[in-house]
Amino acid sequence: MAVKNVYKQSESSASCSAIYRQFGTWLKCSCCPVSVRIAIWVTGFIIALHIFVFNHLPLSGSQLIRQQNMRIRSKRVSMPHHPDTIVATFGEDSWKARAKVVEAYQEKVLKEHAAKNNNDIIIRNCPYPSLAKLSEEQKMPRAANERHMVAPPQGGKISLVCCDTTKGTFTIIAHDKWAPKGAARFLEMVTSGYFNTGVPMMRCIKNFLCQFGLNASKEKLKDFDETIEDDPNWLPEGPTHRENALGIKRFAQGYLAYAGAGKHSRNKQLIVALTPNGPLAGGSPWEVPWGELVGEESYRTLSQIYTGYGEDGPKQGMLHNRGMTEDMKLEFPELDYINYCELLDEHDYGDI
């Protein structure tokens, strides 16, 4: 009975000295035989020694982990959202690293949101933040020269668009006066985010043109299927005007127009001239230019677009019905894409 009481006392974390005093009291019991008193004394000493060793010797690694986990579970019960519990669970260093990642992401989102609100550039490597950064010739070509066979239409609204591609950036000036319906459709595609899901440059023929406009995303396939009316052609038509006496060809390198299949057939398929071209816009009303590339960076990008597939790139029918499937991506691994486009600036030319 005495031994049971002593063990119960040890479980309640009594000090070794207190246990020893208790055993001393029992050892003075005159009614107990000497052998019993000695056994009681030895048992008490062993229990006291066990408590001392348990409380003072260093714990092993696994014991420390178990002890820490017990403390964590205890805190979760009493304070389930206490920060110390989270820090203890992940470790202080890992928690700080996680916090930095979250903070960096939040800062990026806030900056992009602020850029949107302030009409700042969010496209990587776009060289021109506004129309004011362009030269007068880039904003409004005024005369026939080594690039333009005839002076393009003057004045009107001009829009600055920057497109990111797999080979670099394109800077595009869309001219309302050149082709109002064609320019308006292109700008509608840009501002709707149509290009931001990826548009394969599906038909790129060396020294001729590159055709694009069918979206890689299956969800975007029906967008801009409706056709628009043709714009009047401001370039001289007919086979006698493919090239002038100075060797300037009718459809300049970097001119942008629509691919079509007859009158009033324009919708979302576009072409850009990879080199100066004589036959284009020679009588096909859908090929009237509505804008052009500007800046050295744009023409450097244009020269790097992959043309190895030529007429044997992705089939238009399959693209129109399915988008750019994984099988098609594997079949045409060198194909280039427009990743996204952004309208950066827009003014009437007389207000710049």
mmCIF file of all heavy atoms in Angstrom, residues 143-160:
data_model
loop_
_atom_site.group_PDB
_atom_site.id
_atom_site.type_symbol
_atom_site.label_atom_id
_atom_site.label_comp_id
_atom_site.label_asym_id
_atom_site.label_seq_id
_atom_site.Cartn_x
_atom_site.Cartn_y
_atom_site.Cartn_z
ATOM 1 N N ALA A 143 4.372 60.858 -97.696
ATOM 2 C CA ALA A 143 4.678 60.936 -99.126
ATOM 3 C C ALA A 143 5.169 59.598 -99.645
ATOM 4 O O ALA A 143 5.567 58.720 -98.871
ATOM 5 C CB ALA A 143 5.740 62.012 -99.363
ATOM 6 N N ALA A 144 5.133 59.476 -100.960
ATOM 7 C CA ALA A 144 5.740 58.308 -101.593
ATOM 8 C C ALA A 144 7.244 58.360 -101.343
ATOM 9 O O ALA A 144 7.861 59.418 -101.417
ATOM 10 C CB ALA A 144 5.445 58.328 -103.087
ATOM 11 N N ASN A 145 7.835 57.229 -101.031
ATOM 12 C CA ASN A 145 9.272 57.181 -100.754
ATOM 13 C C ASN A 145 9.772 55.762 -101.003
ATOM 14 O O ASN A 145 9.122 54.983 -101.697
ATOM 15 C CB ASN A 145 9.565 57.654 -99.321
ATOM 16 C CG ASN A 145 8.727 56.911 -98.271
ATOM 17 O OD1 ASN A 145 8.406 55.742 -98.450
ATOM 18 N ND2 ASN A 145 8.372 57.594 -97.198
ATOM 19 N N GLU A 146 10.924 55.442 -100.442
ATOM 20 C CA GLU A 146 11.494 54.115 -100.683
ATOM 21 C C GLU A 146 10.665 52.993 -100.053
ATOM 22 O O GLU A 146 10.877 51.824 -100.345
ATOM 23 C CB GLU A 146 12.925 54.057 -100.147
ATOM 24 C CG GLU A 146 13.086 54.137 -98.651
ATOM 25 C CD GLU A 146 13.014 55.562 -98.121
ATOM 26 O OE1 GLU A 146 12.872 56.498 -98.936
ATOM 27 O OE2 GLU A 146 13.103 55.734 -96.886
ATOM 28 N N ARG A 147 9.703 53.356 -99.230
ATOM 29 C CA ARG A 147 8.848 52.346 -98.601
ATOM 30 C C ARG A 147 7.436 52.344 -99.202
ATOM 31 O O ARG A 147 6.894 51.289 -99.517
ATOM 32 C CB ARG A 147 8.781 52.593 -97.092
ATOM 33 C CG ARG A 147 7.770 51.710 -96.359
ATOM 34 C CD ARG A 147 7.901 51.838 -94.843
ATOM 35 N NE ARG A 147 6.820 51.144 -94.168
ATOM 36 C CZ ARG A 147 6.721 49.840 -94.028
ATOM 37 N NH1 ARG A 147 7.655 49.062 -94.544
ATOM 38 N NH2 ARG A 147 5.700 49.293 -93.406
ATOM 39 N N HIS A 148 6.858 53.520 -99.337
ATOM 40 C CA HIS A 148 5.470 53.634 -99.780
ATOM 41 C C HIS A 148 5.414 54.029 -101.260
ATOM 42 O O HIS A 148 5.970 55.057 -101.658
ATOM 43 C CB HIS A 148 4.722 54.683 -98.945
ATOM 44 C CG HIS A 148 4.742 54.390 -97.471
ATOM 45 N ND1 HIS A 148 3.897 53.480 -96.888
ATOM 46 C CD2 HIS A 148 5.508 54.901 -96.465
ATOM 47 C CE1 HIS A 148 4.136 53.426 -95.576
ATOM 48 N NE2 HIS A 148 5.115 54.280 -95.304
ATOM 49 N N MET A 149 4.703 53.221 -102.054
ATOM 50 C CA MET A 149 4.561 53.521 -103.484
ATOM 51 C C MET A 149 3.807 54.829 -103.674
ATOM 52 O O MET A 149 4.160 55.648 -104.542
ATOM 53 C CB MET A 149 3.815 52.390 -104.199
ATOM 54 C CG MET A 149 3.527 52.679 -105.656
ATOM 55 S SD MET A 149 2.637 51.362 -106.491
ATOM 56 C CE MET A 149 3.953 50.216 -106.825
ATOM 57 N N VAL A 150 2.770 55.071 -102.864
ATOM 58 C CA VAL A 150 2.020 56.325 -102.877
ATOM 59 C C VAL A 150 1.877 56.791 -101.434
ATOM 60 O O VAL A 150 2.032 56.016 -100.492
ATOM 61 C CB VAL A 150 0.621 56.142 -103.513
ATOM 62 C CG1 VAL A 150 0.744 55.732 -104.972
ATOM 63 C CG2 VAL A 150 -0.201 55.130 -102.738
ATOM 64 N N ALA A 151 1.592 58.066 -101.259
ATOM 65 C CA ALA A 151 1.378 58.587 -99.901
ATOM 66 C C ALA A 151 0.090 57.994 -99.329
ATOM 67 O O ALA A 151 -0.973 58.084 -99.957
ATOM 68 C CB ALA A 151 1.282 60.108 -99.941
ATOM 69 N N PRO A 152 0.156 57.370 -98.158
ATOM 70 C CA PRO A 152 -1.067 56.817 -97.559
ATOM 71 C C PRO A 152 -2.041 57.927 -97.166
ATOM 72 O O PRO A 152 -1.664 59.106 -97.082
ATOM 73 C CB PRO A 152 -0.538 56.096 -96.311
ATOM 74 C CG PRO A 152 0.923 55.881 -96.564
ATOM 75 C CD PRO A 152 1.364 57.058 -97.373
ATOM 76 N N PRO A 153 -3.319 57.592 -96.936
ATOM 77 C CA PRO A 153 -4.297 58.593 -96.484
ATOM 78 C C PRO A 153 -3.825 59.283 -95.208
ATOM 79 O O PRO A 153 -3.245 58.646 -94.323
ATOM 80 C CB PRO A 153 -5.558 57.763 -96.237
ATOM 81 C CG PRO A 153 -5.406 56.575 -97.133
ATOM 82 C CD PRO A 153 -3.944 56.263 -97.139
ATOM 83 N N GLN A 154 -4.090 60.588 -95.117
ATOM 84 C CA GLN A 154 -3.571 61.395 -94.010
ATOM 85 C C GLN A 154 -4.639 61.647 -92.942
ATOM 86 O O GLN A 154 -5.845 61.668 -93.210
ATOM 87 C CB GLN A 154 -3.073 62.735 -94.548
ATOM 88 C CG GLN A 154 -1.931 62.617 -95.555
ATOM 89 C CD GLN A 154 -0.679 62.031 -94.949
ATOM 90 O OE1 GLN A 154 -0.097 62.623 -94.041
ATOM 91 N NE2 GLN A 154 -0.257 60.877 -95.434
ATOM 92 N N GLY A 155 -4.130 61.889 -91.696
ATOM 93 C CA GLY A 155 -5.002 62.299 -90.597
ATOM 94 C C GLY A 155 -5.785 61.145 -89.999
ATOM 95 O O GLY A 155 -5.506 59.966 -90.224
ATOM 96 N N GLY A 156 -6.784 61.503 -89.204
ATOM 97 C CA GLY A 156 -7.641 60.503 -88.577
ATOM 98 C C GLY A 156 -7.051 59.926 -87.302
ATOM 99 O O GLY A 156 -5.973 60.321 -86.830
ATOM 100 N N LYS A 157 -7.754 58.973 -86.742
ATOM 101 C CA LYS A 157 -7.328 58.330 -85.493
ATOM 102 C C LYS A 157 -6.230 57.313 -85.786
ATOM 103 O O LYS A 157 -6.311 56.552 -86.748
ATOM 104 C CB LYS A 157 -8.522 57.625 -84.836
ATOM 105 C CG LYS A 157 -8.192 56.989 -83.490
ATOM 106 C CD LYS A 157 -9.415 56.301 -82.889
ATOM 107 C CE LYS A 157 -9.751 55.045 -83.657
ATOM 108 N NZ LYS A 157 -10.846 54.281 -83.011
ATOM 109 N N ILE A 158 -5.199 57.329 -84.948
ATOM 110 C CA ILE A 158 -4.153 56.307 -85.037
ATOM 111 C C ILE A 158 -4.047 55.613 -83.683
ATOM 112 O O ILE A 158 -4.200 56.240 -82.626
ATOM 113 C CB ILE A 158 -2.798 56.893 -85.483
ATOM 114 C CG1 ILE A 158 -2.324 57.995 -84.544
ATOM 115 C CG2 ILE A 158 -2.874 57.400 -86.908
ATOM 116 C CD1 ILE A 158 -0.932 58.525 -84.897
ATOM 117 N N SER A 159 -3.786 54.310 -83.726
ATOM 118 C CA SER A 159 -3.766 53.489 -82.510
ATOM 119 C C SER A 159 -2.459 52.727 -82.433
ATOM 120 O O SER A 159 -2.010 52.123 -83.416
ATOM 121 C CB SER A 159 -4.941 52.511 -82.514
ATOM 122 O OG SER A 159 -6.164 53.197 -82.670
ATOM 123 N N LEU A 160 -1.846 52.743 -81.254
ATOM 124 C CA LEU A 160 -0.576 52.053 -81.012
ATOM 125 C C LEU A 160 -0.857 50.730 -80.299
ATOM 126 O O LEU A 160 -1.410 50.703 -79.208
ATOM 127 C CB LEU A 160 0.336 52.929 -80.148
ATOM 128 C CG LEU A 160 1.664 52.319 -79.691
ATOM 129 C CD1 LEU A 160 2.582 52.093 -80.889
ATOM 130 C CD2 LEU A 160 2.344 53.212 -78.661
#
